[in-house]
């Protein structure tokens, strides 16, 4: 069964460093998403991506964040200068389309900023 | 803006007992509602979804949920839980804009099963 994969599973970084979280969506999917979950809090939408551009982003997704689909298979989330409050589980998701199409989630990357 | 409330942070039930997890939503239009389950170390897996039609929806693993517009609720039920059902359960409402479906999640309910 096709699945969304994410690497690394756990990333530890120093405050101020840049991190790139990687995702491989399901191959025929067209819509891509990043969500995050701070420990003990709800899963929050960060950004959606379609046709090589951002479709929508939340207020969390400020200038420190960027997304890219550098090739036909990867979808990345970059945090330019990490802050302590960026520590969270980051989930990638993909879907075939909108509305009634299921979003498939990856297992997540736990980011720890020291 | 849409929101989801899951009032129960943690529920413990005995194996074989029935289960109901509560979910209330706030959304201005007809909602698209979802229940996801997350096992430790795993991603979020879709259990079931409601878009329209029959307000009682069936999902995987023997789960069902009932949409009640008058109560703004979408409670998840299972008649008899199994030890493998122990996990975190998330209710979500989908908002469609600009061709994308953004999910807004509740805080989750952790389910513990005792023998």
């Amino acid at each position: 069964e096709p699945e969304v994969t994410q690497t690394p599973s756990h990333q530890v970084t120093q405050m101020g460093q840049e991190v790139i979280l990687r995702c491989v969506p399901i191959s025929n999917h067209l819509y891509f998403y990043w969500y995050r979950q701070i420990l003990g809090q709800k899963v929050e939408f960060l950004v959606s991506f379609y046709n090589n551009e951002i479709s929508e982003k939340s207020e969390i997704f400020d200038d420190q964040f960027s997304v890219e689909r550098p090739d036909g298979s990867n979808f990345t989330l970059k945090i330019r200068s990490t802050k302590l409050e960026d520590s969270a589980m980051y989930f990638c998701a993909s879907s075939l389309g909108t509305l009634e199409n299921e979003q498939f989630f990856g297992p997540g990357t736990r980011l720890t900023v020291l | 803006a849409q929101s989801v409330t899951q009032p129960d942070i943690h529920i413990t039930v005995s194996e074989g007992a029935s289960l109901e997890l509560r979910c209330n939503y706030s959304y201005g239009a007809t909602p698209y509602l979802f229940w996801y389950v997350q096992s430790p170390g795993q991603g979020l897996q879709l259990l079931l979804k409601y878009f329209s039609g029959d307000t009682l929806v069936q999902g995987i693993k023997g789960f069902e949920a009932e949409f009640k517009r008058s109560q703004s609720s979408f409670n998840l039920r299972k008649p008899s839980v199994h030890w493998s059902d122990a996990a975190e359960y998330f209710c979500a409402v989908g908002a469609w804009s600009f061709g994308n479906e953004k999910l807004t999640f509740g805080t989750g309910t952790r389910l513990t099963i005792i023998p």
Side-chain angles (χ1 to χ4, degrees):
Chain A
E1 186 177 324
E3 59 182 13
V4 177
T5 59
Q6 292 185 242
T7 54
S9 57
H10 191 190
Q11 172 93 45
V12 181
T13 190
Q14 296 290 325
M15 191 169 56
Q17 295 296 304
E18 174 184 286
V19 294
I20 298 176
L21 309 183
R22 291 183 167 79
C23 168
V24 179
I26 294 172
S27 61
N28 61 338
H29 283 188
L30 302 174
Y31 296 82
F32 313 109
Y33 309 85
W34 283 101
Y35 292 83
R36 80 170 185 191
Q37 183 182 30
I38 295 172
L39 189 63
Q41 298 185 26
K42 62 178 67 177
V43 176
E44 301 171 289
F45 168 80
L46 289 179
V47 65
S48 58
F49 191 87
Y50 169 70
N51 200 27
N52 281 318
E53 60 183 26
I54 290 173
S55 306
E56 187 174 357
K57 57 185 181 180
S58 72
E59 61 273 11
I60 302 167
F61 194 89
D62 61 22
D63 292 343
Q64 293 300 311
F65 291 88
S66 62
V67 289
E68 193 178 31
R69 191 156 161 80
D71 52 44
S73 59
N74 290 281
F75 180 51
T76 61
L77 174 70
K78 182 193 289 186
I79 309 175
R80 270 181 262 281
S81 178
T82 50
K83 308 186 204 49
L84 294 176
E85 54 265 36
D86 294 327
S87 295
M89 182 73 90
Y90 289 81
F91 294 104
C92 173
S94 70
S95 69
L96 265 172
T98 61
L99 299 177
E100 299 184 13
N101 291 277
E102 175 183 349
Q103 288 187 22
F104 290 81
F105 283 77
T109 293
R110 180 166 297 283
L111 176 64
T112 302
V113 182
L114 303 176
Chain B
Q2 63 275 12
S3 66
V4 176
T5 301
Q6 292 180 251
D8 304 306
I9 297 172
H10 188 195
I11 284 183
T12 300
V13 298
S14 300
E15 190 168 13
S18 64
L19 171 71
E20 182 169 27
L21 303 183
R22 295 183 291 165
C23 171
N24 292 96
Y25 69 90
S26 172
Y27 186 56
T30 299
Y32 295 83
L33 295 163
F34 307 81
W35 275 99
Y36 280 84
V37 61
Q38 183 183 29
S39 298
Q42 303 296 312
L44 297 163
Q45 181 185 24
L46 182 66
L47 283 176
L48 46 77
K49 60 190 177 187
Y50 170 78
F51 292 134
S52 63
D54 193 346
T55 56
L56 184 64
V57 293
Q58 303 297 320
I60 62 172
K61 306 184 181 188
F63 285 92
E64 66 178 27
E66 186 171 12
F67 170 59
K68 293 185 177 180
R69 184 186 298 274
S70 62
Q71 298 177 19
S72 298
S73 69
F74 189 57
N75 293 347
L76 182 72
R77 300 194 294 249
K78 187 169 184 177
S80 176
V81 297
H82 186 261
W83 64 267
S84 60
D85 293 325
E88 187 98 19
Y89 291 80
F90 295 92
C91 181
V93 61
W96 182 83
S97 65
F98 303 107
N100 284 278
E101 191 175 81
K102 176 179 74 176
L103 296 178
T104 298
F105 287 86
T107 48
T109 298
R110 181 175 301 168
L111 176 64
T112 299
I113 309 293
I114 55 176

